[in-house]
Amino acid sequence: MAASSQMTLSLAAVRRPSPKFTIRAAGGSGQYLPGRPLRVAVIGGGPAGASAAETLAAGGVQTFLIERSPAGSKPCGGAIPLCMLDEFSIPPELVDRRVTRMKIISPSNRVVDFGSKTLKPHEYIAMLRREVLDSFLRNRAQSKGAEIITGLVTGLDIPSGAHHPYTVQYLTGGERGELKVDAVVGADGVNGRVAKEIRAGSYSFAIAFQERIRLPDEKMIHYQDLAEMYVGGDISPDFYGWVFPKCDHVAVGTGTVSAKANIKNLQAGIRERVKDKISGGRVIKVEAHPIPEHPRPRRVVGRVALVGDAAGYVTKCSGEGIYFAAKSGRICGEAIVRASEKGQKMICEEDLKREYLRRWDDEYVATFRVLDLLQRVFYGSNAGREALVEMCGSEYVQRMTFQSYLYKNLAAGDWREDVKMVWDVLGTLLKAKIVSREMGKLVI
């Protein structure tokens, strides 16, 4: 959610890029389909599902995209990296705000400016409303040939044979419907039906709670190009709070894994910290939504693949999920198109594991593990949070953070700066007696 949290990537002990994934030549292991294309149902129309559907439809696969609530949206900071605008051809007019300044506020209200000196003139963090982005991506998938079905999926019948169809059961307009398909992409979120039907296993999740607040014009000017991130036990015992600017309002929220039952009190905590800045504002929407904390035990079962939140692709520390959702949907769609030879052949579980899971894990698993470790170190106590904010004051940390966040790659760092940074951070944490407690818990 907050780009500033990505600064922790620069602490990674590993400076090498992810292992290279080699695209194989076409080659699903199944038989050629008799006189029809491969049929795939994509369940869920957020960035993951819409990106998968677009890729599948453009690649010759007969694609059905089922979304229960096209007008809805999840509570989300809405920050996306600069590279996503180009990679996914997001029109600039969809961007509500271009954030070029961030402030990180510690438990003791120490403020660090993040980005004002390190962002290049053309760089910014794009802020979008999820309902706008999701609608655009779904419409583009439809323009490529995907059939959109507005409906609630109620069941998935698992076939008994390798070439038998899956039956997707759904409700639309009070009427029951069913759809027979060769494969399914589950993009229906943390509590989605698809993962339950294939027994993909459970995972821990956070709750994000957010209020959209319309501010008086003179207050909104303050947030014209500014986002704020707050840390402290009063806001979250294991995450952070945020104030992110939108088109005509700000999103004020927090999240937690360990104190979900206390989420409204934590939201009161972030409101208290920002009360002077949002006084006179009017709440126009209240949202809450679960966010996964780690990948599911199984993400491919048979001819069913999970992507986005359904698969558990949200980073620790930052809570970033939009880019990884869209990316996983695209990678999964590309895998199915390749394995089916552009919709001509049946696919199997091994095709999905080889072409989708291996590529995803090779590119991103190290990043997810490093951020998991660093969240435990920095978010577990106010002393750790103070150390986090102190570290954010370094221009070197800021520069490396924005390189990794905006472009999704690790820049070549200066080893002398790396050593100095790690030494300074360890010194602060050792004073707080954090490292000795946490090192035994963290396994990569």
Side-chain angles (χ1 to χ4, degrees):
M1 294 178 190
S4 57
S5 295
Q6 291 289 336
M7 111 289 289
T8 51
L9 275 174
S10 59
L11 283 180
V14 181
R15 280 288 180 189
R16 63 180 183 276
S18 300
K20 184 74 173 177
F21 178 81
T22 302
I23 302 243
R24 295 169 177 260
S29 57
Q31 299 174 352
Y32 281 96
L33 296 165
R36 67 169 180 85
L38 189 78
R39 293 162 56 92
V40 177
V42 180
I43 315 302
S51 296
E54 178 187 359
T55 305
L56 289 165
V61 174
Q62 188 175 3
T63 307
F64 304 90
L65 176 58
I66 306 177
E67 166 57 40
R68 64 180 296 183
S69 180
S73 65
K74 62 183 288 188
C76 173
I80 66 171
L82 199 58
C83 65
M84 185 173 178
L85 296 178
D86 291 332
E87 189 175 343
F88 287 85
S89 301
I90 307 298
E93 58 267 25
L94 265 61
V95 177
D96 286 334
R97 299 279 176 173
R98 290 165 172 78
V99 168
T100 57
R101 298 182 299 132
M102 293 195 70
K103 292 184 182 295
I104 305 175
I105 298 92
S106 78
S108 65
N109 284 322
R110 175 183 179 180
V111 179
V112 166
D113 290 318
F114 198 93
S116 58
K117 295 181 181 179
T118 49
L119 278 175
K120 297 174 182 177
H122 69 282
E123 293 178 332
Y124 59 89
I125 300 166
M127 293 289 178
L128 298 85
R129 286 163 291 165
R130 276 292 304 273
E131 61 269 30
V132 174
L133 175 64
D134 294 4
S135 177
F136 168 79
L137 293 174
R138 282 194 300 270
N139 289 339
R140 192 164 67 185
Q142 187 175 36
S143 73
K144 299 294 185 181
E147 180 179 338
I148 309 293
I149 299 173
T150 300
L152 170 65
V153 172
T154 58
L156 178 65
D157 293 342
I158 309 299
S160 57
H163 295 84
H164 295 170
Y166 289 84
T167 303
V168 180
Q169 301 163 357
Y170 61 93
L171 289 173
T172 179
E175 299 291 328
R176 294 187 178 275
E178 67 175 37
L179 185 65
K180 294 187 181 299
V181 293
D182 301 304
V184 177
V185 176
D188 47 349
V190 173
N191 296 318
R193 170 66 63 176
V194 177
K196 295 175 183 176
E197 296 287 359
I198 64 172
R199 299 180 181 178
S202 61
Y203 51 15
S204 63
F205 61 90
I207 288 291
F209 188 98
Q210 175 175 278
E211 294 172 291
R212 301 193 192 197
I213 301 176
R214 183 164 290 143
L215 302 180
D217 291 344
E218 65 273 13
K219 294 288 180 75
M220 196 66 207
I221 290 174
H222 175 74
Y223 289 107
Q224 182 173 352
D225 59 354
L226 171 69
E228 294 176 334
M229 168 184 168
Y230 291 79
V231 290
D234 57 327
I235 290 172
S236 176
D238 46 23
F239 206 53
Y240 63 89
W242 61 88
V243 182
F244 285 172
K246 303 297 181 179
C247 59
D248 60 354
H249 63 276
V250 291
V252 180
T254 185
T256 180
V257 178
S258 62
K260 290 189 278 286
N262 199 36
I263 188 66
K264 289 188 177 180
N265 290 334
L266 298 175
Q267 179 67 10
I270 178 67
R271 286 184 63 102
E272 176 64 23
R273 295 276 289 274
V274 301
K275 63 181 180 181
D276 293 338
K277 299 173 185 177
I278 64 171
S279 63
R282 178 172 61 89
V283 176
I284 58 175
K285 193 172 186 179
V286 179
E287 306 162 305
H289 198 82
I291 297 175
E293 280 291 289
H294 57 81
R296 285 192 189 273
R298 298 200 294 172
R299 290 165 287 157
V300 167
V301 179
R303 286 171 274 137
V304 180
L306 302 178
V307 295
D309 282 9
Y313 297 149
V314 175
T315 58
K316 291 286 190 73
C317 237
S318 66
E320 183 189 3
I322 299 176
Y323 174 81
F324 294 110
K327 188 72 172 181
S328 66
R330 177 173 285 182
I331 289 175
C332 184
E334 290 171 346
I336 294 172
V337 170
R338 275 196 305 271
S340 68
E341 295 186 2
K342 296 186 176 181
Q344 298 182 84
K345 296 177 69 175
M346 181 62 73
I347 64 170
C348 67
E349 180 175 304
E350 288 307 310
D351 293 327
L352 290 172
K353 287 182 175 178
R354 180 185 68 247
E355 303 285 357
Y356 162 48
L357 286 189
R358 184 188 299 176
R359 180 180 172 190
W360 175 267
D361 289 347
D362 283 353
E363 290 190 17
Y364 296 114
V365 73
T367 295
F368 277 66
R369 287 177 176 173
V370 167
L371 290 174
D372 185 3
L373 183 153
L374 291 165
Q375 181 180 30
R376 298 190 192 197
V377 170
F378 287 109
Y379 286 178
S381 70
N382 276 349
R385 298 176 191 114
E386 291 287 351
L388 173 70
V389 175
E390 180 179 337
M391 184 176 66
C392 288
S394 163
E395 289 190 23
Y396 177 72
V397 169
Q398 293 183 24
R399 188 167 63 253
M400 298 299 291
T401 296
F402 281 118
Q403 180 66 29
S404 64
Y405 174 77
L406 294 176
Y407 304 107
K408 289 294 171 280
N409 60 59
L410 290 179
D414 183 326
W415 69 268
R416 290 163 296 189
E417 291 285 348
D418 288 342
V419 169
K420 180 179 181 298
M421 177 185 63
V422 171
W423 183 258
D424 290 344
V425 172
L426 285 175
T428 302
L429 294 176
L430 284 169
K431 288 181 205 174
K433 298 182 179 179
I434 294 173
V435 171
S436 59
R437 184 188 70 223
E438 294 293 337
M439 288 305 291
K441 301 178 185 177
L442 304 176
V443 178
I444 293 185

